[in-house]
Amino acid sequence: MNAAVSEDVSPEKITTGEDYIDSLRGRGLKVWLFGEEVDEPVDHPMIRPSINAVAKTYDLAVSNPELASVVSPFTGERVSRFLHVCTDVNDLVLQNKMQRRLGQLTGTCFQRCVGMDAFNSLYSVTWEMDEAHGTSYHQRMKEFLTEMHRHNYVVGGAMTDVKGDRGKAPHEQSDPDMFVHISKRTDEGVYIRGAKAHQTGCINSHWLIVMPTLRLGSKDKDFAIIGAIPVDAEGITYIYGRQSCDSRSMEEGDLDVGNADYSGQEAMVIFDDVFIPNELIFMDGETDYAAMLVQRFTTYHRRSYVCKSGVGDVLIGAAAQVAEMNGVDRASHVKDKLVEMTHLNETIYGTGIAASYQGHATKSGAWICDDMLANVCKHHVTKMPYEIGRIAQDLAGGLVVTMPSEQELNHPEIGKLIRKYLKGSDSFTTEERMRILRLIENMTLGRNAVGYLTESMHGAGSPQAQRIEIGRTMQLEYKKRLARVLAGLEVEGDPDALVEELGSYFSRVFSLPGDA
Ligand code: SF4
Ligand code: FE
């Protein structure tokens, strides 16, 4: 993957956050919100903060190119790290560092990791599919990726089907549209039908990659479809997902929203016979590779949740700030609570970054992180942000949920009463205190609690999905042998030969730096 670095920047290439926002205008997407079609999502006050969060990924690539961009191996120009396929440990680690930084800068979900993790998993899965089946998906996927690099586009991954009856396989559902499937074929390509739920940042993307959501059997052939679709393709309808307190961004003022600039975005995407041309199909009927794709994607994506450690940094800062505003920052129990929050937050980061440092090469040359530690990271994320949020609310005090609105604060008559009675330490104004309290509300109960808490629970798979994966890779027989040797019990074979039975997880634990 080597190419000469070119200084040329093609005119259609998106570079800054502003370029990106402009690129989303006038696409005529069919987006439903509050029972109406949205004229222009870019200008909708409830949607715009989610667009700003994605724009920040471009601005970070400009201000810190080493962290948030790479030199494209295809075009030789700098492109977003979110479009890069990892070719060594450093690439995996830098993804996590970029994610933590963006969490710090936005305090929310910046929506681009699904596409990044989809490209990384597809790179190796298409390679291995071609090796087994003699197909040419890998080359097609690389050509598509090159095109994405040329424009420096945002690509969303569309994986989660609505699933219907969870006890039935896709082909057993009474309504086949419960899983996205091929509805029609022509010589030029295929048409797909169905819906993908909870699609992070889909409306803010330029392209979507549709992928199966679970392991498929031989009767599910029509559901084994992976392909790329432009976000404004004919036949797509987007239904915007509501978030707690979201309509505050449609009120006057900017205090009560807590974080006026940034939010996440989830929507339902409905495909009503949407066309995918042959050259943009990266799996068609290879049911035996659906499980590999889901497994690799979740391995990348579960350690991408270190994003929450960046968001956690903001919440810890808000808790420390409000303690100071309340005049209790020197109390030892307050310090201890901030230590506890930090300990939890760094545990999330520690496991995610370790999964990346313990990455290894796939046959295709793309590098993947460690699956055990990625699952441990994501499992922490289903719990620890809740505890961090609980402590933040403890330090904030009850005012975080009983405070009057910005309109009262600025009212000519009642405002002076608010400023007088809601004041804390003399070093801060009442408005400053209210702003920090609203930020804590935003992150633990409001709009950005969606990403920080409940989406942390279910995104990239609900907690049980990680427990299944941890159980699958925990190597109990190997560990039982370790115990039996030390306890003086009999073991089969040579006790000193344990090293040869390490298995994938322990092989990586004990590999030497530099081993692939
Ligand atoms: Fe990225 Fe985190 Fe948002 Fe997922 S929740 S897209 S990992 S920022
Ligand atoms: Fe997610």
Side-chain angles (χ1 to χ4, degrees):
M1 278 200 180
N2 275 323
V5 183
S6 153
E7 292 302 312
D8 300 337
V9 176
S10 66
E12 331 84 63
K13 192 180 149 201
I14 298 166
T15 303
T16 65
E18 211 182 320
D19 296 344
Y20 160 70
I21 292 170
D22 286 345
S23 76
L24 299 183
R25 287 190 184 280
R27 297 190 296 168
L29 304 184
K30 216 173 177 189
V31 179
W32 285 85
L33 175 58
F34 294 134
E36 288 175 1
E37 272 194 57
V38 175
D39 278 346
E40 178 50 83
V42 176
D43 297 323
H44 195 290
M46 213 176 98
I47 300 177
R48 183 56 179 265
S50 71
I51 294 174
N52 294 341
V54 179
K56 199 73 183 169
T57 67
Y58 284 96
D59 288 333
L60 184 66
V62 172
S63 64
N64 193 341
E66 293 305 320
L67 181 64
S69 76
V70 295
V71 175
S72 164
F74 308 117
T75 68
E77 292 180 5
R78 281 216 166 257
V79 295
S80 172
R81 186 173 291 286
F82 286 101
L83 291 174
H84 182 54
V85 173
C86 296
T87 57
D88 57 23
V89 160
N90 208 35
D91 280 343
L92 290 164
V93 168
L94 282 167
Q95 286 182 338
N96 281 160
K97 294 189 179 206
M98 169 180 71
Q99 286 161 325
R100 184 162 188 170
R101 185 71 184 128
L102 283 164
Q104 292 179 339
L105 294 173
T106 61
T108 189
C109 165
F110 35 87
Q111 307 150 48
R112 293 194 67 179
C113 318
V114 184
M116 176 177 84
D117 298 334
F119 272 129
N120 275 272
S121 38
L122 273 176
Y123 196 91
S124 64
V125 172
T126 53
W127 196 98
E128 288 177 46
M129 234 184 331
D130 289 354
E131 184 189 43
H133 289 282
T135 43
S136 52
Y137 297 128
H138 187 69
Q139 187 53 32
R140 284 183 192 174
M141 196 232 119
K142 274 197 344 196
E143 278 161 20
F144 172 66
L145 184 56
T146 304
E147 192 56 20
M148 296 302 99
H149 280 207
R150 253 181 222 124
H151 298 273
N152 203 17
Y153 277 150
V154 174
V155 182
M159 190 171 240
T160 312
D161 287 292
V162 291
K163 298 194 193 88
D165 182 339
R166 270 65 174 166
K168 290 181 175 167
H171 72 276
E172 293 169 338
Q173 300 285 331
S174 57
D175 180 349
D177 295 349
M178 293 301 102
F179 288 82
V180 168
H181 61 102
I182 295 171
S183 53
K184 202 163 63 172
R185 279 180 188 281
T186 65
D187 287 346
E188 287 74 40
V190 300
Y191 289 79
I192 60 163
R193 284 185 74 76
K196 295 285 187 183
H198 335 292
Q199 292 310 297
T200 301
C202 51
I203 295 160
N204 300 342
S205 303
H206 300 101
W207 284 78
L208 295 175
I209 299 180
V210 175
M211 300 171 281
T213 200
L214 41 69
R215 170 185 298 274
L216 297 172
S218 55
K219 291 185 179 155
D220 295 319
K221 255 182 165 354
D222 283 344
F223 301 87
I225 174 74
I226 300 177
I229 301 174
V231 165
D232 56 1
E234 213 184 305
I236 302 186
T237 301
Y238 298 91
I239 306 177
Y240 212 87
R242 290 216 63 179
Q243 296 175 326
S244 166
C245 308
D246 52 7
S247 54
R248 287 194 192 180
S249 53
M250 294 163 72
E251 298 168 359
E252 245 178 65
D254 68 351
L255 191 155
D256 287 341
V257 284
N259 178 349
D261 288 336
Y262 302 112
S263 78
Q265 175 189 89
E266 319 286 335
M268 188 186 290
V269 188
I270 296 168
F271 300 94
D272 183 13
D273 292 330
V274 175
F275 180 64
I276 311 178
N278 290 327
E279 60 272 22
L280 295 177
I281 294 174
F282 314 131
M283 173 192 276
D284 180 2
E286 289 80 6
T287 49
D288 46 341
Y289 280 82
M292 181 192 275
L293 174 79
V294 174
Q295 204 272 342
R296 291 204 181 157
F297 173 79
T298 52
T299 295
Y300 285 109
H301 202 46
R302 288 178 185 166
R303 66 84 237 211
S304 279
Y305 272 75
V306 299
C307 67
K308 303 306 176 202
S309 63
V311 179
D313 290 328
V314 178
L315 189 54
I316 294 167
Q321 184 62 79
V322 84
E324 204 181 338
M325 290 169 159
N326 292 344
V328 296
D329 52 311
R330 281 184 301 277
S332 65
H333 74 94
V334 169
K335 277 233 171 72
D336 195 50
K337 283 171 182 156
L338 293 167
V339 168
E340 178 64 12
M341 292 170 93
T342 304
H343 162 70
L344 293 167
N345 200 46
E346 296 301 334
T347 302
I348 292 170
Y349 184 68
T351 45
I353 199 89
S356 290
Y357 271 113
Q358 222 158 268
H360 59 100
T362 61
K363 283 182 180 177
S364 66
W367 278 59
I368 188 164
C369 49
D370 183 85
D371 54 351
M372 168 66 92
L373 293 178
N375 278 281
V376 170
C377 172
K378 174 67 213 324
H379 205 52
H380 282 328
V381 170
T382 67
K383 303 173 183 177
M384 291 176 177
Y386 286 88
E387 181 60 12
I388 296 171
R390 190 187 73 79
I391 302 173
Q393 289 186 357
D394 177 357
L395 293 176
L399 200 52
V400 79
V401 289
T402 62
M403 206 164 46
S405 76
E406 183 175 3
Q407 274 66 39
E408 270 70 53
L409 177 73
N410 294 329
H411 193 274
E413 191 185 324
I414 211 80
K416 50 184 182 293
L417 296 177
I418 305 286
R419 286 175 203 279
K420 174 182 163 79
Y421 286 110
L422 294 190
K423 187 138 184 316
S425 153
D426 282 340
S427 308
F428 303 92
T429 66
T430 301
E431 179 174 335
E432 285 173 332
R433 185 166 177 239
M434 286 175 75
R435 282 189 177 273
I436 287 288
L437 285 166
R438 284 290 181 219
L439 178 63
I440 294 173
E441 182 195 35
N442 168 280
M443 299 179 78
T444 62
L445 295 159
R447 241 194 134 164
N448 288 325
V450 171
Y452 190 55
L453 301 180
T454 317
E455 199 266 338
S456 289
M457 173 85 84
H458 295 292
S462 304
Q464 192 56 25
Q466 291 111 54
R467 298 184 85 85
I468 289 169
E469 201 56 26
I470 291 169
R472 203 178 63 78
T473 42
M474 66 184 171
Q475 294 182 249
L476 281 189
E477 286 312 310
Y478 169 73
K479 288 171 184 166
K480 269 161 49 183
R481 276 177 60 90
L482 294 175
R484 289 179 71 91
V485 169
L486 290 186
L489 304 186
E490 261 182 41
V491 292
E492 272 178 36
D494 177 5
D496 294 332
L498 274 174
V499 74
E500 274 153 33
E501 297 167 27
L502 287 171
S504 61
Y505 176 60
F506 283 107
S507 298
R508 289 202 277 284
V509 169
F510 298 119
S511 68
L512 297 173
D515 289 355

